[in-house]
Amino acid sequence: VYGTLMQGGFWHGPAAKAGIAAITPALASGTLFDLGDYPALTLGAATPIRGEILTFQDIATALPILDEIEDAAPNGGNSGMYRRTILTVTDQAGRRRRAWAYVMAPESLGAAPVIASGDWRAHQRDEMRFARRVVGPLSLATGALMLVPGVYGLADGVWDEQPNLGWLAFGVAGLGPMCADGNHDPLC
């Protein structure tokens, strides 16, 4: 996995409920694209893509759960956003291993920007540093809002923060959560 299924990613918790037995850092090859809240991998290029091998207690039980999370057709079919494909990856010990990965057809990407580093986590950290440099001084100067890292939403009926996936603006004048469109609805 190379994006939101990795440890600390938005979808790692639901994936862990499928019975993760081990997590091993690994490298794959391809091109990584930024689709906003998540990345997409395409095959063919030789850029190293940083990710993890998730080993499950029962892969037959885990795959349908992962397919649903990734909007992939069962059994590697062509319908859905991603296609489950077997890749050869290199683990942290230098061993070449076969692993399932969710890849996207290049024609589905539109004008999505390439993540040149091949590292989704580093890319997300870079975006957060940029936002702090650009938006942080503005919010301090105006006193109008403060930006808090994270994507917020309902998870199992509980208002929850998913770190490092985006930003939510809070009005500091006691108005409560403020959406990008200026509304103060906490469910934006």
Side-chain angles (χ1 to χ4, degrees):
V1 296
Y2 53 85
T4 60
L5 287 173
M6 288 193 297
Q7 223 170 2
F10 183 81
W11 289 110
H12 183 77
K17 291 178 182 175
I20 295 174
I23 301 172
T24 306
L27 292 174
S29 291
T31 303
L32 201 58
F33 292 86
D34 183 345
L35 299 181
D37 290 335
Y38 53 90
L41 173 68
T42 62
L43 303 178
T47 303
I49 307 299
R50 292 196 177 281
E52 298 170 342
I53 299 169
L54 302 181
T55 304
F56 290 88
Q57 296 165 1
D58 179 5
I59 193 66
T61 300
L63 284 176
I65 295 167
L66 299 174
D67 287 348
E68 184 175 345
I69 289 170
E70 295 293 337
D71 186 23
N75 302 316
N78 286 326
S79 63
M81 181 181 293
Y82 291 93
R83 182 173 183 183
R84 181 168 28 100
T85 306
I86 296 177
L87 303 180
T88 300
V89 300
T90 305
D91 69 17
Q92 66 184 4
R95 294 182 303 250
R96 293 173 56 80
R97 297 171 60 180
R98 307 272 288 159
W100 289 110
Y102 290 92
V103 298
M104 188 173 280
E107 59 271 10
S108 301
L109 293 165
V114 171
I115 301 172
S117 68
D119 186 334
W120 175 247
R121 283 185 181 134
H123 179 70
Q124 290 294 292
R125 285 190 302 270
D126 291 346
E127 284 190 344
M128 289 179 70
R129 277 194 290 276
F130 173 77
R132 285 187 192 119
R133 267 196 330 269
V134 173
V135 180
L138 174 64
S139 65
L140 290 175
T142 65
L145 58 86
M146 117 180 122
L147 291 176
V148 180
V151 167
Y152 293 74
L154 291 173
D156 298 322
V158 177
W159 189 250
D160 189 25
E161 175 186 359
Q162 302 298 323
N164 302 322
L165 294 177
W167 295 92
L168 179 69
F170 280 90
V172 294
L175 298 174
M178 182 172 22
C179 304
D181 64 2
N183 291 324
H184 296 287
D185 181 352
L187 299 177
C188 58

